[in-house]
Amino acid sequence: MNSLIDPFNRKIEYLRISVTDKCNYRCSYCMPEQGAHPEGNHSEYLSYDELARIAKVFAELGVWKFRLTGGEPLIRKNLHELASKISALPGVKDIALSTNAERLADQAQALLNAGVKRANVSIDTLDPVKFERITRGGNLARVKAGIDAAIAVGMTPIKLNMVVMKNTNFDDIPAMLDYAIEKGAYLRFIETMPIGSAGISVMDEHVSAERILAKVKEHLGKELIPFVDTKEAGPARVFKVAHSDAKIGVISAVSQHFCETCNRVRLTARGVLALCLGQEDSVDLRAPLRAGASDDDMKAIVLAAIAKKPERHHFNENRHNIQFRQMVSLGG
Ligand code: SAM
Ligand code: SF4
């Protein structure tokens, strides 16, 4: 079997699939207030069969980990049907979900049954008014109900993703820590990233991972012990809280990039394979797929794409320049 090794000797084992570029929220750091881009007509989006076909090609090239993301993936009907198709592929070991959890309570059980064992939920504050403001209309009570439902059906671990903004929710870190510890969830603090117009404007509110960690230590009054997760290599620097089971993580894409261990690529809902979060390099998979390419043809296209994966992003050097795409279509 071929495997996907890029020019920098990184093994690509992880495909993030954005199933829609639409969202029922409009988080200030992710989407411009007026929406991200013109709505595509139905035929521009890959069907579940087409997404599963691409997943099969990647699985046969050694990719074993998949994530369903968006936009908001749970606004696409019957997402569990896609999860079932991907779960059934030989070699697939892990399917995770990234969601704002607004619609998770109703779907958690069906998703778990379809093989989605774990979920990451975006939640930036526990103050309902502030939550509504950040998400431009989100409902915190529904999100918390979604988190509770995911825990109740046994999705583990639940990761809570908090994008930390200096003048908006930095002071909410203590309350978020208490909530995560109470729920037995793993809280990850994300530095703002300058992707798309919304991401670029929110860089005025950027807080470095070091400042975030100092705030965490101040609140917990406990030592943070660096923790290496042997099961899951990811972008977060992970810490265990001394004398407890709690774990926290920081994703410092800007202050300390982690590109040398990058193991992933991203597929957009319209079938574009994005090779790096912060670089324009991408390859269209929809056209050859719809033109009748065989699995072997598709594999050759994917192998050629991976051979062009850039070494790293340049968020730090190039903070105001990543206009060419919006986070909401890339899936995070
Ligand atoms: N709607 C789902 C959700 O919110 O989790 C999935 C898609 S969302 C684009 C995926 C992740 O990207 C979320 O955790 C979100 O917080 C993060 N994100 C979006 N824009 C960002 C930005 N400018 N900087 C850092 N993280 C961002
Ligand atoms: Fe929607 Fe997620 Fe982006 Fe918020 S972060 S606007 S929930 S896609």
Side-chain angles (χ1 to χ4, degrees):
M1 185 183 69
N2 289 312
S3 59
L4 295 174
I5 310 281
D6 82 355
F8 306 96
N9 215 21
R10 295 171 298 194
K11 193 168 184 189
I12 307 307
E13 302 178 293
Y14 178 18
L15 179 66
R16 298 174 63 100
I17 301 178
S18 172
V19 299
T20 176
D21 51 21
K22 301 182 187 117
C23 188
N24 45 355
Y25 286 4
R26 287 188 179 191
C27 302
S28 55
Y29 44 76
C30 181
M31 241 214 253
E33 190 158 12
Q34 70 281 12
H37 30 60
E39 253 190 36
N41 66 43
H42 189 66
S43 66
E44 288 179 39
Y45 296 99
L46 297 185
S47 69
Y48 284 168
D49 281 340
E50 289 173 323
L51 289 169
R53 169 100 195 284
I54 293 179
K56 174 172 177 274
V57 166
F58 275 86
E60 288 176 2
L61 289 168
V63 169
W64 54 269
K65 179 174 170 179
F66 292 82
R67 175 173 300 276
L68 305 179
T69 177
E72 175 45 39
L74 299 185
I75 65 172
R76 193 148 168 192
K77 259 195 213 135
N78 299 325
L79 187 68
H80 61 93
E81 289 174 5
L82 174 63
S84 292
K85 289 178 197 285
I86 297 176
S87 295
L89 297 171
V92 172
K93 294 191 200 144
D94 188 26
I95 307 179
L97 172 74
S98 285
T99 175
N100 61 30
E102 160 96 20
R103 299 193 184 179
L104 186 55
D106 299 339
Q107 300 186 46
Q109 188 66 62
L111 287 163
L112 183 80
N113 296 347
V116 179
K117 300 278 188 295
R118 53 202 192 83
N120 293 7
V121 175
S122 289
I123 175 167
D124 302 320
T125 177
L126 294 163
D127 171 338
V129 175
K130 197 187 282 189
F131 184 85
E132 195 181 334
R133 185 158 36 91
I134 295 174
T135 55
R136 301 197 181 98
N139 180 325
L140 181 65
R142 286 184 60 85
V143 170
K144 285 163 101 179
I147 292 169
D148 287 343
I151 293 171
V153 301
M155 283 188 179
T156 51
I158 295 295
K159 293 183 189 168
L160 305 179
N161 285 338
M162 173 183 185
V163 175
V164 181
M165 292 164 280
K166 189 165 54 192
N167 304 315
T168 305
N169 64 350
F170 182 69
D171 292 337
D172 296 341
I173 289 177
M176 287 290 295
L177 281 165
D178 293 346
Y179 174 74
I181 291 170
E182 181 203 321
K183 297 286 171 192
Y186 162 30
L187 176 60
R188 304 191 313 168
F189 302 101
I190 304 181
E191 285 184 8
T192 56
M193 294 176 222
I195 295 178
S197 49
I200 290 167
S201 8
V202 85
M203 289 308 284
D204 294 345
E205 291 225 48
H206 184 262
V207 186
S208 73
E210 294 321 311
R211 254 190 87 193
I212 295 169
L213 285 171
K215 183 83 175 171
V216 172
K217 283 185 200 156
E218 178 191 302
H219 178 64
L220 295 176
K222 288 177 181 169
E223 217 184 316
L224 294 179
I225 305 156
F227 176 77
V228 178
D229 193 339
T230 47
K231 278 187 282 172
E232 199 197 336
R237 274 189 286 155
V238 186
F239 299 87
K240 284 203 53 118
V241 178
H243 316 298
S244 102
D245 292 335
K247 258 189 346 182
I248 64 127
V250 278
I251 300 184
S252 51
V254 172
S255 69
Q256 203 176 33
H257 75 83
F258 34 77
C259 302
E260 62 282 358
T261 56
C262 185
N263 63 351
R264 63 202 58 198
V265 285
R266 296 168 169 83
L267 180 68
T268 72
R270 302 181 202 216
V272 173
L273 186 68
L275 298 166
C276 172
L277 196 56
Q279 300 278 7
E280 216 158 345
D281 308 58
S282 60
V283 170
D284 178 28
L285 298 186
R286 186 181 65 188
L289 188 80
R290 291 190 176 168
S294 68
D295 283 1
D296 283 346
D297 296 339
M298 292 303 293
K299 277 184 207 164
I301 292 167
V302 170
L303 282 161
I306 298 300
K308 288 194 282 186
K309 185 168 161 65
E311 184 174 13
R312 52 170 293 206
H313 65 67
H314 294 279
F315 289 157
N316 249 337
E317 300 87 325
N318 210 359
R319 260 187 197 195
H320 298 282
N321 235 354
I322 306 169
Q323 299 277 6
F324 49 86
R325 45 165 91 113
Q326 302 283 349
M327 197 67 133
V328 68
S329 35
L330 266 185

